[in-house]
Amino acid sequence: MFSSILNTAAPPLRRRPSGERQLGAPAGVRLAAAIALVGLLSACNGQNNARPMGPPAGKAEVSVVTLHPQSVAITGELPGRTTASLTAEVRPQVNGIIKTRLFTEGGFVKAGDALYQLDPASYQASYDSAVAALQKAEAAVPNAQAKVERYEGLIKQNAVSKQDLDDANATLAQANADVAAEKAAVESARINLEYTKITAPISGWIDKSSLTPGALVTANQTTVLTTIRTLDPINVDVTESSTNLLNWRRAVDEGRIKLTGPDVRVKLKLENGETYSHTGKLAFAESNVSMSTGTFTARAEFPNPDHLLLPGVYVRAIVEQGVAENSFLLPQRAVTREAKGAATALFVTQEGKVEQRVLSIDRSVGNNWLASSGVKDGDRMIVEGTLLAQPGQDVTAVEVTIDDNTGEIRGPKQGSSSPPAAANSTPGDDQSKHASPAGN
C-alpha cells in the first residue's frame, strides 16, 4: 500500500479559475506524510518484536526416585517354536490296497486304534498255508520218535546196526526242526495278516489322510498316510548364544546370581503379546554349540490341556536364570548414553546439587536397567526434568513413583517426607505437574 502511495505520480498543475477554492494538498505534502506513516509503523513493529526481560528464574524442579537394593529375578527372553512332544508318521508295513479308512480326520485317536484296513485276502491265505505246513511237520514227529525208541531196544539184541540207530535219531531231529521252522512261518504270516489293519502307534491328534480307499500302498513307502501328534504336553525349542551361557555361568560362580532350585521355570509370550497361562520347566539343553550360528538349543516342556499351543507356533520363552540379590534397578527413562556409549545418569546429592555418574549396566529387566556399579543405597536419581538440570546446578527435588509395568511416572510419592533439597522450592510452584510423563 505504501509503495503504491509513493509511486503515484502527482497530477499536473493547472491554473485555477478565479474564485475556485483549493481542495487537494500539494504532492510534496502528501509524499512527506507517507514517509512519516512508514516510519511510525516501523517503530510500532520494533516495539512488538522486542522481548521484555522477565524476572530471573528460580531453582529448576526435577522429579527423582530413591534407589534401594533388592532381590531381582534374572530372566532371559529367548526365541523359539513349539513342537509336539510325540510325533508319529503312519506308513504301511505290508503291500496292499486300502479297503477302508477307519478314523475321523482331525480327530483324537488312542494308541492301538485301527486307522486303515488293507485287503487281507492274500495274507489270510498265506497264514492258513503256514498253519497247514506246521501241522504236517508236527505229524512226522511221532513216527520218527517211535522209530528211535524201537531201534534203541533192538540195538541191545544186535538186531540192528548202530548206523541204523544214528539215522533214526537224525530223522527225529530233522522232524523237530521242521516243526520249529513251520511255527516261525505261522508267526510271520500272522504278523503280516495283522499288518493289514494299520493301527495308531501313539495317542494324539491325527491329520488328514493323504490316500483314499482303493489306493495301492507298499511296505515302508516314502508317502506318509497320515501323522499323529501328541499336544499335551507340548515342547518349546529355544536357542541361546554360547556367549550368554558363559556370562551366566560366570555370574553364578561369582555369586552375583543365585540359582532358585533344580527345576528351571519357563514362561511363554505368545505371538499376540499375551502371556501363556501355564508355566513350564526346562527339560534339557544340548551339549554342543552350532559351529555356523554359535548357538545351542534348549527344550522346555509345557502343559497344554486346552490345546491352545499348536506345533510350529513362534513364541518367546522367558527363562528364569536365577536371583540377583542386593541389586539396583534403574528406570530406563533416566539413563542415557554418552558419545562413547557409556551409560550415564543424573543424581541429586544431599546438598541439592546435580551430579552426573557413569554406570555399569548388566541387562534390562522390564522397563528398568540392572546396574552392577555406580549407585548405592539412598541415591536419588533424576527421572524427569533432566533438560533443566546441569551437573553442579542447585535444583529442587520432588520424589515420585514409577509404574513398573509401563515405566511412566505415577505422581509424587505418597506418605514420604520431602527430601532436604525440597525445602528450597519456590512458593506457589505446582509440584503436581511432575506427576504426568514429560519428555526430558
Side-chain angles (χ1 to χ4, degrees):
M1 181 181 67
F2 302 118
S3 60
S4 62
I5 295 175
L6 296 177
N7 295 331
T8 301
L13 297 178
R14 62 184 179 89
R15 187 181 300 272
R16 295 193 306 271
S18 60
E20 183 179 354
R21 297 181 59 185
Q22 182 177 357
L23 298 179
V29 175
R30 285 183 293 174
L31 180 59
I35 295 175
L37 180 59
V38 172
L40 178 60
L41 293 176
S42 300
C44 292
N45 291 335
Q47 291 178 359
N48 292 334
N49 294 331
R51 295 183 179 178
M53 297 297 293
K59 289 184 179 180
E61 189 175 274
V62 295
S63 301
V64 299
V65 292
T66 303
L67 305 178
H68 299 288
Q70 55 184 305
S71 295
V72 180
I74 303 301
T75 61
E77 189 169 328
L78 308 176
R81 288 196 179 274
T82 56
T83 59
S85 54
L86 294 176
T87 302
E89 295 180 342
V90 179
R91 290 183 173 88
Q93 295 178 281
V94 293
N95 303 332
I97 295 176
I98 298 178
K99 191 174 182 180
T100 311
R101 175 171 58 84
L102 304 173
F103 67 93
T104 301
E105 295 176 313
F108 183 83
V109 296
K110 295 181 180 180
D113 288 352
L115 304 179
Y116 297 91
Q117 177 63 59
L118 305 183
D119 186 1
S122 60
Y123 295 98
Q124 183 67 50
S126 297
Y127 176 75
D128 294 340
S129 175
V131 171
L134 174 61
Q135 293 174 350
K136 179 180 179 180
E138 290 175 341
V141 173
N143 184 35
Q145 181 68 38
K147 189 175 183 179
V148 169
E149 293 175 355
R150 185 169 58 253
Y151 278 11
E152 286 178 347
L154 295 174
I155 191 98
K156 297 178 181 178
Q157 302 174 6
N158 292 323
V160 295
S161 66
K162 185 173 176 47
Q163 181 64 42
D164 293 335
L165 179 61
D166 291 342
D167 291 342
N169 285 326
T171 302
L172 176 61
Q174 182 67 40
N176 289 328
D178 291 342
V179 170
E182 295 302 332
K183 285 183 178 180
V186 169
E187 182 65 17
S188 177
R190 184 190 65 80
I191 292 175
N192 288 335
L193 180 60
E194 290 183 352
Y195 280 164
T196 60
K197 181 177 289 186
I198 302 175
T199 59
I202 62 174
S203 299
W205 296 88
I206 192 167
D207 291 348
K208 68 177 183 178
S209 176
S210 62
L211 297 177
T212 60
L216 175 65
V217 295
T218 58
N220 303 318
Q221 64 184 22
T222 57
T223 302
V224 177
L225 295 180
T226 188
T227 303
I228 304 173
R229 295 180 176 87
T230 300
L231 303 183
D232 185 23
I234 195 167
N235 297 329
V236 176
D237 293 338
V238 298
T239 56
E240 174 66 300
S241 68
S242 58
T243 302
N244 291 341
L245 176 63
L246 294 175
N247 293 337
W248 174 75
R249 287 184 174 178
R250 174 174 295 179
V252 172
D253 294 340
E254 295 176 354
R256 291 186 284 113
I257 296 180
K258 180 183 293 185
L259 299 179
T260 56
D263 294 333
V264 179
R265 295 186 300 175
V266 185
K267 295 183 178 180
L268 278 188
K269 184 181 293 185
L270 305 180
E271 287 180 308
N272 59 0
E274 295 181 357
T275 300
Y276 186 53
S277 57
H278 298 281
T279 301
K281 62 179 181 180
L282 192 66
F284 72 92
E286 289 184 348
S287 57
N288 66 300
V289 177
S290 172
M291 292 185 293
S292 59
T293 61
T295 60
F296 67 96
T297 301
R299 171 169 291 177
E301 186 178 276
F302 287 83
N304 190 28
D306 301 327
H307 306 120
L308 177 63
L309 299 178
L310 300 178
V313 175
Y314 175 79
V315 294
R316 298 194 69 85
I318 303 174
V319 183
E320 292 187 2
Q321 300 177 352
V323 177
E325 298 180 341
N326 298 322
S327 301
F328 291 91
L329 291 180
L330 311 181
Q332 292 184 354
R333 60 182 295 136
V335 179
T336 59
R337 297 280 180 176
E338 62 178 11
K340 295 183 179 180
T344 61
L346 297 179
F347 295 82
V348 178
T349 65
Q350 294 298 324
E351 293 78 18
K353 293 184 177 296
V354 178
E355 178 186 20
Q356 186 179 31
R357 298 183 195 171
V358 177
L359 309 173
S360 178
I361 301 297
D362 279 351
R363 65 177 68 204
S364 64
V365 180
N367 292 303
N368 301 305
W369 293 112
L370 179 65
S372 58
S373 64
V375 293
K376 61 182 182 298
D377 188 14
D379 282 347
R380 293 183 294 169
M381 171 180 276
I382 299 177
V383 295
E384 187 179 43
T386 54
L387 293 180
L388 305 177
Q390 298 295 328
Q393 178 182 351
D394 290 332
V395 293
T396 299
V398 177
E399 189 165 352
V400 297
T401 57
I402 300 292
D403 190 337
D404 292 334
N405 295 325
T406 63
E408 302 294 340
I409 296 177
R410 288 179 178 174
K413 190 173 182 180
Q414 300 296 329
S416 62
S417 59
S418 299
N424 297 327
S425 60
T426 305
D429 285 348
D430 184 9
Q431 296 183 1
S432 64
K433 63 185 178 181
H434 294 278
S436 60
N440 290 339

